[in-house]
Amino acid sequence: MFKKYELPYSFDALEPHIDALTMETHYTKHHSAYTNNFNGALEKADNLANLSIEEILGSLDKVSDSPLRTTLQNNGGGYYNHNLYFSILAPNGQSSPQGALLRQIEANFGSFESMVEKVSALGAGRFGSGWAWLSKDSKGNLVASSTANQDNPLMEGGGLTPVLGIDVWEHAYYLKYKNLRADYIKAFWNVVDWAAVEKLYEMA
Ligand code: MN
């Protein structure tokens, strides 16, 4: 049974960048639905039992039942993506990357600002619902990308492990930002906990 990441901060902690009602709805409704649906679907996928979430998302091609595979992809992705998203946000997080993570960002993007610009553009340019990502590849490089729906880089089989994700589904911002997705993305960077991203980078 997979469990939701437990928020160490309150729903209003990310105000004014991400509003309390959005956080509460996102965490208690959307994330709960993905988690429950994922756990329910896993009961019908015996060959995925005892695998980690990362292994499951990398092994979806082993599920021969096509509707079940789609349910696992959408809800397993939703489960993983939201756990990541909520865990890299914090009201008083470390406000910029440091050390090895900063050096890698500079090596791959030129500067921190260029990386933010690139990932933001991918999120703003994603048509419909999806995510923008910063991931680590098997050689330690950082790569910016975007996926549709609740897909993520783990499903692509290219060895990418996400270390930061921006949810650009309308449910992540519409109550406050309405149609202005780019404003939400700009605000998102104010509440990233770079110490949390750094931990993911080190573990990936
Ligand atoms: Mn979401």
Side-chain angles (χ1 to χ4, degrees):
M1 176 83 94
F2 285 94
K3 293 199 169 126
K4 284 199 299 182
Y5 171 76
E6 284 187 33
L7 285 191
Y9 49 83
S10 59
F11 295 129
D12 64 358
L14 307 181
E15 292 267 11
H17 307 292
I18 303 178
D19 62 287
L21 184 57
T22 294
M23 284 298 291
E24 182 173 1
T25 310
H26 204 175
Y27 183 79
T28 66
K29 308 290 186 191
H30 295 274
H31 192 16
S32 296
Y34 292 123
T35 305
N36 294 339
N37 292 336
F38 178 47
N39 281 317
L42 271 181
E43 289 173 12
K44 298 171 204 148
D46 293 340
N47 54 343
L48 299 182
N50 303 318
L51 296 185
S52 70
I53 179 62
E54 291 84 358
E55 288 168 335
I56 289 172
L57 297 181
S59 315
L60 291 173
D61 55 346
K62 292 190 185 129
V63 182
S64 54
D65 178 333
S66 175
L68 178 60
R69 183 169 64 243
T70 301
T71 301
L72 287 164
Q73 180 175 345
N74 291 339
N75 293 284
Y79 168 76
Y80 173 90
N81 297 349
H82 288 86
N83 264 10
L84 179 84
Y85 178 78
F86 291 118
S87 75
I88 57 150
L89 298 176
N92 302 304
Q94 181 185 303
S95 62
S96 60
Q98 293 166 18
L101 176 60
L102 178 61
R103 285 195 294 279
Q104 195 61 52
I105 288 171
E106 289 171 345
N108 295 129
F109 297 92
S111 68
F112 173 63
E113 290 74 20
S114 301
M115 182 279 293
V116 167
E117 202 174 310
K118 181 86 194 282
V119 176
S120 296
L122 286 164
R126 163 58 50 193
F127 185 76
S129 299
W131 290 74
W133 302 102
L134 184 66
S135 304
K136 185 179 176 183
D137 74 10
S138 54
K139 291 178 179 160
N141 288 304
L142 288 164
V143 178
S145 68
S146 168
T147 55
N149 305 313
Q150 294 297 351
D151 292 352
N152 69 43
L154 293 171
M155 298 174 186
E156 294 169 347
L160 293 180
T161 304
V163 299
L164 177 145
I166 311 179
D167 187 345
V168 298
W169 283 59
E170 286 185 342
H171 68 231
Y173 61 87
Y174 208 85
L175 294 175
K176 178 179 173 76
Y177 294 95
K178 304 298 186 286
N179 58 317
L180 303 177
R181 184 192 285 182
D183 287 359
Y184 151 72
I185 292 173
K186 199 172 171 193
F188 165 88
W189 297 105
N190 291 313
V191 285
V192 173
D193 179 359
W194 285 101
V197 177
E198 208 167 296
K199 259 185 218 152
L200 291 172
Y201 172 75
E202 281 163 8
M203 291 187 321

